[in-house]
Amino acid sequence: MNARTEPAQAGSDAIARPPLVRELLLVAGLFLVYKFGRQLATGHTGEAFHNAHRVWDFERAVHLPGEGAVQSLLLHGDGLVHLANTYYATVHFPATAAFLVWLYLRRPVHYVWARRVLAAVTATALVLHLLLPLAPPRLLAATGLVDTARVYGPSVYGDPATDSLSNQFAAMPSLHFGWALMVAVGLIVATRSRWRWLWLAHPLLTLLVIVGTANHYWLDAIVAAALLGLALAVIHLPDRTATTTGRAQGGLVPAQRDEQALVGAGR
């Protein structure tokens, strides 16, 4: 029985997993749209700083913790702040890419769901970046915060006035935090280990890094979390496919059980 059901399971996996070339082209296209969308938001310096003052004043009005409290912890040692800058510069894209690759190979149904959620969050974030350009706290003198990447390195940004590779006025929402939170949520949903909740350390550490390095306000992360929550509420994980249902029921889905019943009857 097990030997006969294994090919069916393998076939189900192949059906559930989207074509690799199509997915590579799709992800590459989404990345290009992401980069191009960020470029569209450049050139709104005055509005970006005006919005930054408003965000900073709002955070103080509602008594959110000061970003400076987190940064002061990092500034206790050059090694710690350099590590935080390195984390900010190097973990964001590779961690998300590794997450999607693992889901594609091991949890194809979860992969499709996660890709849709990430695409929805990113697209919405790009619209907000266009509608609400926002200077990060490291560029706002009123915050009194240090641009840790520029002072201690490494930095992924150049001079805001001449940097043509990135939009430094796209602070809200923070896709660094939104993507990190989705990575944790996706891995918690897709796995069954009792240790899976430890994946929440990734968005928590990301939150401390983006705030401590003065790249984002608390509110940037709050808005990103709200967008992700909305996307998760709208984009539901598909029902179990032949792959997962078959494994849960001993390797046979209803169609497969009916087929074997007919074969048995023929004997």
Side-chain angles (χ1 to χ4, degrees):
M1 178 67 73
N2 289 339
R4 290 176 180 171
T5 59
E6 285 176 1
Q9 289 179 5
S12 300
D13 281 337
I15 295 172
R17 184 175 295 111
L20 178 59
V21 174
R22 189 191 75 181
E23 290 305 303
L24 290 175
L25 292 175
L26 179 60
V27 172
L30 290 174
F31 177 75
L32 291 176
V33 170
Y34 165 76
K35 296 296 290 184
F36 179 69
R38 290 174 67 93
Q39 292 300 311
L40 290 178
T42 58
H44 301 281
T45 303
E47 185 180 357
F49 278 99
H50 176 69
N51 290 332
H53 281 286
R54 294 172 60 188
V55 168
W56 182 255
D57 292 340
F58 176 79
E59 286 191 347
R60 307 291 76 78
V62 298
H63 305 291
L64 285 177
E67 286 84 351
V70 179
Q71 185 171 92
S72 63
L73 296 176
L74 296 182
L75 296 179
H76 273 71
D78 291 358
L80 185 59
V81 70
H82 187 274
L83 183 62
N85 291 332
T86 302
Y87 188 95
Y88 179 85
T90 62
V91 173
H92 177 49
F93 281 108
T96 308
F99 163 69
L100 289 174
V101 169
W102 184 85
L103 286 183
Y104 180 85
L105 295 175
R106 302 296 300 273
R107 303 288 190 276
V109 175
H110 290 82
Y111 163 79
V112 173
W113 164 71
R115 187 247 291 151
R116 289 173 178 169
V117 171
L118 284 171
V121 170
T122 303
T124 307
L126 290 178
V127 173
L128 290 178
H129 292 164
L130 294 173
L131 297 177
L132 186 70
L134 181 66
R138 60 186 170 81
L139 298 180
L140 188 64
T143 67
L145 296 173
V146 177
D147 186 346
T148 60
R150 181 179 61 82
V151 175
Y152 299 94
S155 176
V156 295
Y157 301 117
D159 187 331
T162 59
D163 187 1
S164 60
L165 297 178
S166 60
N167 174 24
Q168 299 190 44
F169 301 127
M172 180 184 292
S174 168
L175 286 177
H176 264 77
F177 181 73
W179 288 11
L181 186 58
M182 181 56 201
V183 168
V185 170
L187 289 173
I188 289 171
V189 171
T191 59
R192 290 293 176 265
S193 169
R194 62 179 179 177
W195 302 104
R196 67 188 185 278
W197 295 99
L198 292 178
W199 287 112
L200 290 173
H202 175 46
L204 177 59
L205 183 57
T206 299
L207 177 61
L208 295 178
V209 165
I210 64 175
V211 171
T213 58
N215 280 291
H216 287 283
Y217 306 90
W218 293 113
L219 201 58
D220 299 338
I222 293 173
V223 172
L227 287 181
L228 178 60
L230 180 61
L232 290 172
V234 173
I235 304 173
H236 299 288
L237 183 65
D239 293 335
R240 288 177 178 268
T241 61
T243 301
T244 53
T245 305
R247 288 170 183 167
Q249 297 179 354
L252 291 176
V253 295
Q256 292 168 343
R257 288 199 301 269
D258 292 344
E259 180 181 351
Q260 288 205 356
L262 291 175
V263 172
R267 292 173 185 171

